Every structure is written in C-alpha cells, then in structure tokens.
Amino acid sequence: MKTLLRPTAVISLVLVAFAPVLAAQNPMQPVLEGVYNQWRQSMISKSPNRWSQTTSLRRQVEIRNRIFSERRPFPASLFDLPAAPPDLRGLTPARLKVRGPTAKAIYFGKIDFGVGGAPTENILVLSFVQEAGWKYDGAEFINLMALPDVRASLAKGDYSVLDKPEFAPSGAPPVNPPIQLKAPVPYIAKVYAYCPGREVTVQVNRRSRHVLANTQQAEVVIGGASPGNNEVEYVVKSLPGSTGKEPLTIRVYLMSEKPGVKIPAVFEYTVPEGGAVKSSGKGSFVLNPALAAKLR
C-alpha cells in the first residue's frame, strides 16, 4: 500500500448504479474481474493450486523469492496477509486499459480490506498479464487522504486524473526475476534507506536490486547474504523539489534468528544534513563463521 504524491448521497447512488453500465461498455471488464475474483478466492480458501493457476509466473517467482529470503515456509506463508483482498462489488470501474499483453483495471470507491473501521473512498489499481490467458499480476492501493480535491473530483465522476502515464499498462511482456529461489536462504539480510528528496538504488551481490524514493524503508535482500564476501552498490539521484541538503542513510543489516540478538549494520553510508552526497559508490561486508554463529 502507498500514497500517491500527485459527496452527496445522490451522487454516490448514481455512481453505484452506473457501474454495471461502465462494465458493459468494455468486454474485457468481466474477463479481468473474473480473473481477479478467482485469484481472490484462492487467497480466501488458501488454495495453492488455485493461486498458481490465476497468478502470473513473474509474480509467483517474486513472492516465492521473498518468502524464501525471509526463511519462511512456502506455500504456507502465501496466505499470511495483513488484510483480505478487497471485494470489487460496490466499487466503480473508472478505467480499463489494455496494451499488448498487459492490462490495468482501475476502481474508485470504499475499498474494504476487512480490518475494521469505516472504509473511505480511494483508488484500487489491478494489474494483469496475458500468459495462456489473462493472469493476475498485482494490486496497488492509492490512499487519497492527503488529496481531498482528487477524491472529490473522482466522486463526481471526473476520472481524468487516471489518464496519467503512471496508470497505464507497460505493454511489455513480463520478465521473470534473474534469481529463482527453490529453498529458504541460509542468512536473512535487509536493505534500509532514509532518503528524503532522493531516489536510492541499492544492489546486493548483483542480484537483489532495491529502488527506494523519498522514504524511510527497509526491504528484504532477495537471496539473502552469502558466506564470505558480499558486495553492495548504490546510486543516488535527487528528486524534483529536493534542496540537495537532505540527510541520507543507506544500510545493510543481517537479521538474527536468535531471540534478543541484534547485529549492527554490516554496511553503512551516512551523510548528515547539508553534507555532500556521492552519486554512486561501492562497498562490501564479510559474513565469517563467527558472525554466522550469531545469526542461526
């Protein structure tokens, strides 16, 4: 889930009533909704077979890689979700875009993840790819809390904001990740970045690539850390609106499975506010037997 930086009761009733008409205008709408609903049922019923039948191969590899990189069991961990996939019923199909073997179906309305509280009106973007039929490829929830004007326009039926390039399908055939894990990794590692006003690309061992922009976030290293020498590379770019004086921190951590054991960062590049930031750099860390003993 992420936030995109970029009503009267009568209107709400009109939008809900108009939704079937919008779906009927595009024959792809029921096709893609059927794929999503089958995928959603696979998650609710916790069926690995149904999940693999409705999910793109690329996404299957990505999810399996992440689970194994966190040393969790597959496929059982597939269904450890913080929230249930939302039901499309009651949402307004605002845009449907097909480009080559890719498609995006965009919905507006009260998106309910079943976590309690009253759902608010936001955007749900569903992605699909064609692989011997259409397959579910992912979803993006866009919270409009900080964009009340956009939310009000959408509520009135003005969906022009959804015509921006970032809402368009790529048109490119999906490419599987270069690494395809078959079992849990020996050691868990994570990349952390604090990068206000900047985009940071970090690559660990030339196989786990992370792009973090204007955020404070950690991501698991795909493939984990390897015994011996491990390489870290980074590239830093300023984002529009940046002053160039913001602080920056890039770290790599090794995660111990022993209760209460925390390992200091094995790689760190930190620049205080106002300091000079290098546009790129390289480093490394060594996972020796003594360090490995603290992890497992």
Side-chain angles (χ1 to χ4, degrees):
M1 297 184 188
K2 72 176 186 179
T3 301
L4 182 67
L5 299 177
R6 315 253 174 219
T8 68
V10 173
I11 290 175
S12 298
L13 287 172
V14 170
L15 288 175
V16 172
F18 194 48
V21 178
L22 290 173
Q25 289 175 347
N26 193 321
M28 283 297 296
Q29 193 85 36
V31 173
L32 297 182
E33 286 187 355
V35 172
Y36 173 78
N37 287 331
Q38 290 180 46
W39 172 84
R40 180 174 179 267
Q41 284 303 314
S42 77
M43 300 300 292
I44 293 172
S45 63
K46 299 184 177 182
S47 170
N49 289 337
R50 292 180 67 182
W51 176 82
S52 63
Q53 292 167 4
T54 54
T55 306
S56 70
L57 294 176
R58 179 198 65 82
R59 185 157 179 80
Q60 289 186 51
V61 172
E62 278 189 352
I63 291 175
R64 188 164 55 245
N65 279 351
R66 187 173 68 248
I67 288 173
F68 282 151
S69 295
E70 294 172 345
R71 289 188 50 77
R72 294 189 293 138
F74 181 88
S77 296
L78 267 177
F79 309 109
D80 295 339
L81 298 178
D87 194 334
L88 299 182
R89 289 176 295 182
L91 302 181
T92 300
R95 287 287 188 270
L96 189 148
K97 306 177 183 184
V98 180
R99 186 180 178 191
T102 62
K104 286 185 182 290
I106 308 173
Y107 297 83
F108 172 72
K110 294 183 178 181
I111 301 164
D112 189 358
F113 290 95
V115 293
T120 54
E121 292 178 314
N122 293 296
I123 297 171
L124 180 67
V125 182
L126 303 180
S127 298
F128 303 87
V129 299
Q130 202 167 29
E131 296 175 344
W134 289 97
K135 301 293 177 68
Y136 172 78
D137 195 51
E140 180 181 2
F141 171 78
I142 300 175
N143 192 334
L144 299 175
M145 181 176 62
L147 298 168
D149 293 342
V150 172
R151 180 179 279 168
S153 295
L154 290 166
K156 294 176 182 177
D158 178 4
Y159 305 133
S160 57
V161 68
L162 304 177
D163 294 325
K164 291 184 177 181
E166 55 261 41
F167 291 104
S170 68
V175 178
N176 283 345
I179 180 173
Q180 299 187 29
L181 301 177
K182 304 298 184 184
V185 300
Y187 306 104
I188 305 169
K190 288 189 176 182
V191 165
Y192 165 88
Y194 174 55
C195 53
R198 295 187 174 91
E199 178 187 271
V200 173
T201 302
V202 184
Q203 189 163 259
V204 180
N205 290 332
R206 299 184 180 180
R207 65 189 179 197
S208 187
R209 186 172 181 270
H210 308 262
V211 181
L212 304 150
N214 195 38
T215 189
Q216 182 175 13
Q217 187 177 345
E219 293 184 350
V220 69
V221 172
I222 301 303
S226 301
N229 192 60
N230 292 261
E231 298 180 352
V232 181
E233 303 171 82
Y234 63 86
V235 175
V236 182
K237 297 179 181 178
S238 292
L239 294 173
S242 167
T243 65
K245 297 181 180 180
E246 295 89 349
L248 173 71
T249 298
I250 301 171
R251 295 185 182 126
V252 176
Y253 289 96
L254 298 179
M255 313 305 293
S256 176
E257 295 181 77
K258 295 183 177 181
V261 176
K262 293 185 178 180
I263 310 297
V266 290
F267 171 86
E268 182 172 21
Y269 174 59
T270 299
V271 179
E273 186 173 1
V277 174
K278 294 190 294 184
S279 60
S280 63
K282 295 182 179 181
S284 64
F285 63 90
V286 177
L287 204 172
N288 56 32
L291 183 55
K294 298 178 180 179
L295 302 176
R296 296 286 301 281

